[in-house]
Amino acid sequence: MTAQFDPGTPALPTDSNSVLADTRQFLLILDDWARAGWIRWLDAEFAVFLHRQVPEASSALLLAAALTSHQNGHGHVCLDIGFCLAEPDRALSLPPESPAHQPALTPQQLLASLTVDQWLSDLQHTALIGDNNQPLVLDHSSGRALLYLRRFWHYEQTLAINIRQRLMSPPAIDGDRLAKTISGVFNRLSHNKAITDEPDKARTDCDWQKIACALATRNRFAIITGGPGTGKTTTVVKLLAVLQEMHETSSGQLLRIRLAAPTGKAAARLSVSITSQLAQHDLQDISGEVSTVHRLLGPIRNSRFFRHHAANPLPADVVVVDEASMVDVELMALLLDALPEKSRLILLGDKDQLASVEAGAVLGSLCQRAGQAHYTPHTAAWITHVTGQVVPESMIDTNGSALDQSITMLRYSHRFGAIPGIGKLAQAVNTSAGSRALNAFFDGSFAELNRLKTSSTQDPAFARLICNAETGYGHYLQRIQQHPASDADPDQWDAWALSVIRAHGQFQLLAALRKGEFGVEGLNERIAAILRNAGMLSAPRDEAIWYAGRPVMVTRNDYNLDLMNGDIGITLPFPRSVPEGLELMLRVAFPGAEPHTPVRWILPSRLQSVETVFAMTVHKSQGSEFAHTALLLPQYENPVLTRELIYTGITRAARQFTLIDDNPNILPQAVASSVFRTSGLLHAINSKSLAEGH
């Protein structure tokens, strides 16, 4: 630790120039920032470590190191030096959500005393920054000065190289045979209907699902992106049928297909969707088994390493990853590194959703140009040849990159046909609609959209929303009361637990923040109190934290229990044998991954990393869908409130969405602010000339 100082002591320096000239003063300021919660102790200690290793390192260099570490904690792969100086508040997401106190000298004030040239001059220190295994890497290749922690620079470079190599070595495809296969599969699986919003659009608009299948077959790396209900899963089923038929015809063998998602919840959703479609179309030669990406790579216990890597690649010909927006740069780099050279990787996801909690926004970075496609004339002509679809002239670009030729954006949503309000609201948010247009969605025109205006969770209207027996938490809590008799067959207990889990998925309260009355920590306590006061929830015994009805989310992968970050379980009574007969005790019921194990009953004492999720952050909700979603916004503007967060929260709702707010300016302000993740990935992929073999 650095020296210990009372935050209020006058010993803390306040002059930026003297702090930048004296590393001892800077370390005092760094200590103050960590105590105030403006940076993590990890960030401060990283700078202290570098100072101990290289005492002559300047304050400006140590500042850059601490802020690079800080950025990594906020999901950025690197620190953009120029942007940080130009817009420090936005670049650094400061001040934090709930600071302990106001620092004597803020990062913004210190940065105001630096110019880009001065800062870059201080970063010319070969002991700490360079290409020979130093802890930091300064990369100018994109035209911007980007400072990386070496590990993340390595991940980004590895990822870029692997993607570039796959783009440069497409598989040999017989266009005529592919055209016949796509036509046959689509005719068989969708009765040759054009995938468009409205029947009269079929004459002019593309069937983007056909285009997606064609481009993903043509490439060893492909992305299929689109919003909710655009048919990403339907498309990938057709794609797998096309790939399987093409491969079986040419080789007489079946493809080894692996399906994965970032979290257990997302994997379970994909499994249900894929399995039902495979059964519907009698595609018996395609497995519907889905695992998390971590499980796919084969985690080694008590280690951060995996069994599958470049020297021991995955036994797979095709790997499909759903909800790819949630995959961070480290995991994506490890996945690409573990794929056989000739295999295909297909990423599915919504480019407009929030990025991963960890560092990197891989899908968002790769799909920056997806909206306008940028297909070359050669690609457009090839698409017409194998699919019969004519790419709009506005989406043809003679300068389209090789990456552009591997991405398809699905553009027509079918999820909200009978309840259009949710989809239209999401679209308005995505296009940064103004205040008047956004507020008009809640004027009663759409029955599926509701707004609860309240400035406090003590409001009786908030309690009514939470306790509602049809569209609130009352729904699953009532189901808990209907448990089987203690001596009932285990299958009955499993069936009951699954019904409770499904009922719990009917409603979820989402929040943007973690701290304060409108943050998930305060909300979970408040909601538990509301439900107890309503007689829907019993008080825990002897101040214990476990009680029947408590929903919990796993917050860290637990390979011993085979539970992954994001898995949700419900605390329920469960019978056990005692000398007197049977008694009910608490277990946490998680949905099982195998048909013969529909429910896994886990002792609460075995769960080491879980949190209550009456309320969850929007980030944690990714990969999930709820019949009714309520999104609670704070009363004051906050850096975490962005268009992507609002869009993600809205699109978790399948049938009903409720906005909870009080300040009419917060929603439009959030929609006007976009998430950015500093990264050099796109430039790294496109930096070398790729053969126009497309």
Side-chain angles (χ1 to χ4, degrees):
M1 285 288 180
T2 52
Q4 305 299 302
F5 290 90
D6 181 343
T9 177
L12 287 171
T14 57
D15 180 72
S16 297
N17 291 323
S18 64
V19 168
L20 289 171
D22 184 343
T23 54
R24 181 183 177 280
Q25 290 189 36
F26 172 72
L27 293 179
L28 299 182
I29 289 298
L30 204 61
D31 185 274
D32 189 32
W33 291 351
R35 289 180 175 281
W38 283 53
I39 64 173
R40 302 171 299 173
W41 281 111
L42 174 65
D43 309 327
E45 288 306 304
F46 178 56
V48 171
F49 170 77
L50 296 183
H51 172 67
R52 288 172 179 164
Q53 301 303 307
V54 184
E56 67 272 18
S58 68
S59 294
L61 192 157
L62 299 178
L63 170 65
L67 293 183
T68 301
S69 177
H70 165 83
Q71 291 298 81
N72 183 247
H74 280 259
H76 301 273
V77 177
C78 55
L79 174 72
D80 186 325
I81 297 294
F83 183 53
C84 182
L85 288 176
E87 297 185 51
D89 288 4
R90 183 162 182 250
L92 301 173
S93 298
L94 291 175
E97 186 180 312
S98 300
H101 64 267
Q102 177 73 12
L105 184 68
T106 67
Q108 294 91 323
Q109 291 170 326
L110 196 56
L111 290 166
S113 298
L114 282 170
T115 66
V116 172
D117 289 342
Q118 288 173 334
W119 210 3
L120 291 178
S121 176
D122 275 278
L123 297 182
Q124 304 305 310
H125 199 300
T126 57
L128 295 178
I129 300 178
D131 298 329
N132 296 311
N133 214 33
Q134 294 96 325
L136 296 164
V137 176
L138 185 62
D139 191 330
H140 292 272
S141 63
S142 65
R144 298 173 294 158
L146 303 178
L147 186 62
Y148 292 80
L149 301 178
R150 171 164 293 281
R151 182 161 67 98
F152 288 92
W153 179 81
H154 172 72
Y155 289 140
E156 189 172 273
Q157 293 298 308
T158 299
L159 184 55
I161 290 169
N162 274 322
I163 292 175
R164 193 163 59 222
Q165 287 174 343
R166 290 177 179 277
L167 294 174
M168 293 175 68
S169 57
I173 296 294
D174 182 330
D176 292 335
R177 190 156 65 86
L178 176 59
K180 183 181 294 185
T181 305
I182 288 177
S183 177
V185 167
F186 272 70
N187 187 47
R188 189 168 73 250
L189 303 190
S190 60
H191 309 292
N192 212 25
K193 292 179 181 177
I195 310 301
T196 56
D197 247 348
E198 302 162 7
D200 62 321
K201 284 191 172 183
R203 294 188 300 272
T204 57
D205 285 353
C206 291
D207 185 336
W208 290 101
Q209 291 192 10
K210 281 188 176 180
I211 294 174
C213 287
L215 292 180
T217 302
R218 188 190 189 212
N219 290 282
R220 298 194 191 282
F221 175 82
I223 298 174
I224 301 173
T225 186
T230 51
K232 294 186 291 293
T233 307
T234 301
T235 302
V236 85
V237 168
K238 294 172 182 174
L239 168 60
L240 294 177
V242 168
L243 290 172
Q244 194 70 280
E245 186 172 324
M246 292 278 288
H247 186 75
E248 191 172 5
T249 301
S250 62
S251 69
Q253 298 178 332
L254 294 178
L255 287 167
R256 297 170 299 172
I257 298 171
R258 306 297 298 271
L259 308 175
T263 67
K265 186 78 171 179
R269 278 192 61 204
L270 178 62
S271 179
V272 170
S273 179
I274 286 276
T275 301
S276 64
Q277 293 196 43
L278 294 177
Q280 177 187 347
H281 301 301
D282 195 28
L283 298 171
Q284 298 178 14
D285 54 356
I286 299 173
S287 171
E289 182 181 345
V290 184
S291 72
T292 64
V293 179
H294 281 86
R295 288 191 184 109
L296 182 68
L297 291 174
I300 299 173
R301 288 188 177 182
N302 303 316
S303 163
R304 60 189 303 271
F305 298 105
F306 295 93
R307 288 194 298 274
H308 294 295
H309 43 74
N312 180 34
L314 273 165
D317 300 307
V318 178
V319 174
V320 177
V321 178
D322 194 21
E323 296 289 354
S325 63
M326 300 167 63
V327 183
D328 60 88
V329 68
E330 177 181 359
L331 189 58
M332 192 70 82
L334 293 172
L335 175 61
L336 264 293
D337 203 43
L339 292 183
E341 181 182 345
K342 300 298 183 181
S343 66
R344 283 183 173 86
L345 176 64
I346 300 156
L347 304 181
L348 307 179
D350 186 344
K351 68 181 180 63
D352 297 312
Q353 274 191 190
L354 282 167
S356 61
V357 176
E358 304 299 330
V362 177
L363 190 75
S365 296
L366 297 178
C367 292
Q368 287 180 24
R369 290 158 55 94
Q372 290 302 311
H374 296 279
Y375 297 143
T376 64
H378 180 77
T379 295
W382 183 87
I383 286 172
T384 300
H385 172 63
V386 299
T387 70
Q389 305 301 303
V390 179
V391 176
E393 191 66 32
S394 62
M395 296 183 181
I396 298 176
D397 179 1
T398 55
N399 296 314
S401 69
L403 179 62
D404 293 329
Q405 317 312 301
S406 70
I407 300 173
T408 311
M409 179 174 168
L410 305 180
R411 299 162 192 270
Y412 304 108
S413 177
H414 305 274
R415 176 181 295 181
F416 305 114
I419 45 170
I422 297 172
K424 290 180 181 294
L425 174 60
Q427 184 179 22
V429 167
N430 226 4
T431 55
S432 301
S435 177
R436 180 175 297 179
L438 291 170
N439 288 322
F441 280 96
F442 300 97
D443 63 3
S445 301
F446 298 101
E448 61 270 27
L449 299 179
N450 302 287
R451 194 172 202 166
L452 172 59
K453 287 192 166 293
T454 181
S455 59
S456 172
T457 57
Q458 304 292 326
D459 189 330
F462 179 74
R464 288 193 295 272
L465 172 75
I466 295 299
C467 295
N468 191 290
E470 295 181 358
T471 60
Y473 288 134
H475 182 60
Y476 92 93
L477 290 172
Q478 284 185 348
R479 190 75 187 89
I480 291 177
Q481 305 305 317
Q482 302 163 11
H483 64 74
S486 298
D487 58 354
D489 186 275
D491 289 345
Q492 290 183 260
W493 281 92
D494 286 349
W496 166 73
L498 281 177
S499 72
V500 172
I501 291 169
R502 285 193 292 267
H504 176 263
Q506 295 298 295
F507 174 70
Q508 183 63 56
L509 178 68
L510 305 180
L513 309 179
R514 290 202 62 85
K515 307 287 186 181
E517 181 186 4
F518 284 179
V520 293
E521 293 179 4
L523 283 168
N524 277 309
E525 292 182 5
R526 175 61 187 147
I527 291 170
I530 288 172
L531 295 172
R532 288 193 186 101
N533 290 338
M536 294 182 171
L537 207 62
S538 60
R541 296 178 181 176
D542 304 323
E543 303 300 318
I545 62 171
W546 293 101
Y547 47 87
R550 181 191 179 198
V552 295
M553 174 182 282
V554 177
T555 58
R556 183 180 301 171
N557 293 342
D558 188 330
Y559 300 113
N560 293 317
L561 294 177
D562 201 25
L563 292 173
M564 298 293 114
N565 184 11
D567 288 351
I568 292 179
I570 310 294
T571 312
L572 298 173
F574 187 73
R576 71 164 181 177
S577 297
V578 294
E580 295 77 19
L582 291 169
E583 73 171 5
L584 296 179
M585 67 177 300
L586 295 178
R587 292 285 192 274
V588 184
F590 289 90
E594 303 294 336
H596 60 273
T597 311
V599 176
R600 301 179 61 214
W601 298 89
I602 308 293
L603 271 170
S605 58
R606 299 189 67 194
L607 297 170
Q608 300 303 308
S609 300
V610 294
E611 61 184 26
T612 305
V613 284
F614 286 120
M616 71 171 70
T617 61
V618 176
H619 265 106
K620 290 286 189 181
S621 74
Q622 292 190 96
S624 300
E625 179 182 294
F626 311 98
H628 178 198
T629 299
L631 174 62
L632 190 153
L633 299 182
Q635 292 179 275
Y636 305 103
E637 191 175 3
N638 189 287
V640 306
L641 295 175
T642 61
R643 180 173 70 239
E644 290 81 0
L645 182 137
I646 302 297
Y647 171 83
T648 302
I650 292 168
T651 54
R652 296 314 90 204
R655 296 200 297 268
Q656 184 178 350
F657 174 75
T658 298
L659 178 67
I660 307 172
D661 65 353
D662 185 52
N663 184 337
N665 297 319
I666 292 299
L667 179 62
Q669 286 173 351
V671 169
S673 176
S674 178
V675 164
F676 78 97
R677 286 282 179 95
T678 306
S679 165
L681 177 61
L682 192 59
H683 180 270
I685 292 172
N686 295 326
S687 61
K688 294 185 180 179
S689 176
L690 296 180
E692 167 73 34
H694 293 270

